[in-house]
Amino acid sequence: MAAGEVVLWEADDKSMRMVPRLQRMGVTAGLLCLLGLLMWSASHATWALYAGALYLLGEIAHWAWDRRRLVEAHIVPGEADGPARLRLRRVGGRITEHDAHRVARVLVIYDNVHNLARLRLSLRGRPLLFGRPGLPPALTTWQQACPRAQVDDRSAHWGMPGVPD
């Protein structure tokens, strides 16, 4: 982190998670092949091919969506005393910089089960950006960094596990 940078968001897990994904895909493919071979004698094995293809498409779609999620958000001073810039880093490693005044809305969703928070960041003229779970940030830092943004927080929709009081 360079001098003058302020951390706005930092995810707990910044990795691509490729090893668990490949293990999950290998186990699923092996089980589908085994079930397909067992069902081959009755010639009803085509469902295994369709299930495998659908699973593979779902896994590819999740991987593509996960690569675009945010893992870091920093506010960096502008060049030559210019306006501050918002530096966003995604899971795939892509780093983009945006004007801090283009941030339209910041929503932090607190998870009351795991003491983590999720980030929803909306930039003017861009699609909604999702952040991986991380430690809850200070909302005052977001308000100071992005003065034109609507900064909100809310609790998650799910409750605590166990018996309610």
Side-chain angles (χ1 to χ4, degrees):
M1 182 166 59
E5 283 190 17
V6 176
V7 176
L8 297 173
W9 178 261
E10 193 164 22
D12 272 354
D13 184 13
K14 299 177 187 179
S15 69
M16 291 282 290
R17 302 182 196 166
M18 286 305 291
V19 172
R21 181 172 284 130
L22 290 175
Q23 287 175 342
R24 187 172 57 238
M25 288 174 66
V27 168
T28 304
L31 288 175
L32 285 174
C33 286
L34 178 66
L35 288 173
L37 287 174
L38 290 174
M39 298 293 288
W40 194 268
S41 63
S43 111
H44 296 295
T46 56
W47 66 269
L49 294 174
Y50 291 135
L54 284 174
Y55 174 75
L56 184 62
L57 289 175
E59 195 68 48
I60 290 170
H62 182 266
W63 175 75
W65 176 75
D66 190 46
R67 284 192 73 217
R68 300 189 68 225
R69 292 171 73 183
L70 298 175
V71 292
E72 288 179 356
H74 297 270
I75 193 78
V76 295
E79 299 172 0
D81 295 333
R85 306 284 294 169
L86 181 67
R87 181 176 295 158
L88 304 174
R89 186 169 81 86
R90 299 172 192 261
V91 173
R94 182 175 175 208
I95 297 175
T96 57
E97 287 193 6
H98 305 277
D99 186 14
H101 295 293
R102 292 194 57 199
V103 177
R105 184 170 189 218
V106 176
L107 178 63
V108 178
I109 302 170
Y110 295 106
D111 182 356
N112 55 358
V113 178
H114 300 103
N115 193 26
L116 294 174
R118 295 178 188 269
L119 176 71
R120 305 289 185 263
L121 183 66
S122 178
L123 299 172
R124 287 182 180 84
R126 297 271 180 160
L128 183 67
L129 299 171
F130 296 91
R132 274 198 177 164
L135 294 176
L139 294 180
T140 55
T141 310
W142 276 102
Q143 291 169 343
Q144 292 170 353
C146 308
R148 295 183 185 171
Q150 176 187 357
V151 180
D152 293 325
D153 64 338
R154 69 173 170 90
S155 296
H157 292 298
W158 53 86
M160 292 291 291
V163 179
D165 291 336

